[in-house]
Amino acid sequence: MMRIIFALMLREMATTYGRSAGGYIWAVLEPVLGVTLLSVIFSLALQTPGLGTNFPLFYATGFLPFAMFNDLTNKVASSIRFSRPFLAYPSVTFIDAMIARVLLNALTHIAVIAIVITGIYVIYQLPVVVNLASVFEALLLVTLLAVGVGTMNCYLMTAFPIWERVWQIATRPLFLMSGIFFTYDLMPSQAQNILWYNPLIHCIGLMRQGIYPTYQGSYISQELVIGVSLVLLVLGLMLLERTYRDLLER
């Protein structure tokens, strides 16, 4: 099984990032440009960010976990379609394809997040007081949530191709509703009552709790994120296990 997963990871590396270092350089530059754009725009309108005094650090702790979730979800959702030629072999299963994509892309995003945030600390000479346990817990929950949502979407997008377009449209507001621009604590109470049920806002809050030692994040519920992730993961796996061979023939 490990040989199959490793082979699928090598294929993913070649097709996603290319055979040269340029693909991985762009994997770092893309989020850097996103954080820079957010920092410039909001620094023109606000005197200080939602936490601390450094705009790039604040938006990096929101944008990077969101980008990780979004990319991992899409990668898991397209696992069957991406690895369809290999799934014709009895020794290769859709779970192998999913694990390979999750491992490679999760590790890539974690490395990118470490590089970008470390770079911000170095460039702006910020004091380093980081709770690594909270940061890694946040990234683990982001990965788990992405796997759960992606697995369910893998079935829906393969069985009902129109779902991919519906999902893209339905989730566009997530960029505004996940606490990237403002912390949950600064939102109106009416918005808090609704957005609390967005698992991403808890993941991003936990990430910021690890970066900002004075941030409490009393609203954060790891149980909500884990519960939503596992329900979607188990349901998605059950549906795929029963139907993925039929879906491959479509």
Side-chain angles (χ1 to χ4, degrees), residues 30-208:
E30 187 175 10
V32 167
L33 293 174
V35 171
T36 301
L37 181 61
L38 290 175
S39 302
V40 170
I41 292 174
F42 282 92
S43 64
L44 295 175
L46 303 172
Q47 291 185 343
T48 58
L51 286 172
T53 58
N54 187 273
F55 281 94
L57 184 61
F58 178 75
Y59 292 115
T61 54
F63 177 77
L64 295 179
F66 177 85
M68 179 178 178
F69 165 80
N70 198 42
D71 185 54
L72 279 178
T73 300
N74 293 333
K75 291 290 173 60
V76 175
S78 59
S79 295
I80 288 181
R81 184 172 57 201
F82 181 79
S83 301
R84 189 183 295 268
F86 298 95
L87 294 176
Y89 296 98
S91 58
V92 182
T93 68
F94 71 93
I95 294 180
D96 296 328
M98 286 183 173
I99 292 175
R101 301 205 92 183
V102 170
L103 284 177
L104 176 63
N105 291 285
L107 291 174
T108 300
H109 277 281
I110 290 172
V112 169
I113 289 172
I115 291 170
V116 174
I117 290 182
T118 300
I120 291 172
Y121 275 109
V122 172
I123 292 171
Y124 292 93
Q125 298 183 346
L126 301 174
V128 181
V129 185
V130 176
N131 185 341
L132 289 177
S134 293
V135 171
F136 283 121
E137 184 181 4
L139 297 179
L140 182 61
L141 289 180
V142 169
T143 303
L144 180 62
L145 181 62
V147 171
V149 175
T151 302
M152 191 67 211
N153 277 347
C154 185
Y155 168 74
L156 292 173
M157 290 180 184
T158 309
F160 312 101
I162 195 174
W163 175 250
E164 185 171 4
R165 181 64 59 87
V166 173
W167 173 256
Q168 290 175 354
I169 296 173
T171 54
R172 282 174 185 169
L174 273 181
F175 191 67
L176 301 174
M177 298 167 58
S178 299
I180 297 173
F181 307 108
F182 304 98
T183 62
Y184 177 87
D185 314 82
L186 297 178
M187 299 176 183
S189 58
Q190 296 89 341
Q192 289 180 349
N193 295 335
I194 298 172
L195 296 181
W196 188 87
Y197 294 96
N198 175 8
L200 266 178
I201 210 166
H202 298 270
C203 297
I204 291 175
L206 188 60
M207 180 74 174
R208 286 178 170 148

Side-chain angles (χ1 to χ4, degrees), residues 7-18 75 82 100-101 104-105:
L8 291 171
M9 289 176 67
L10 290 177
R11 176 176 180 259
E12 173 89 6
M13 291 174 64
T15 55
T16 303
Y17 302 105
K75 291 290 173 60
F82 181 79
R101 301 205 92 183
L104 176 63
N105 291 285

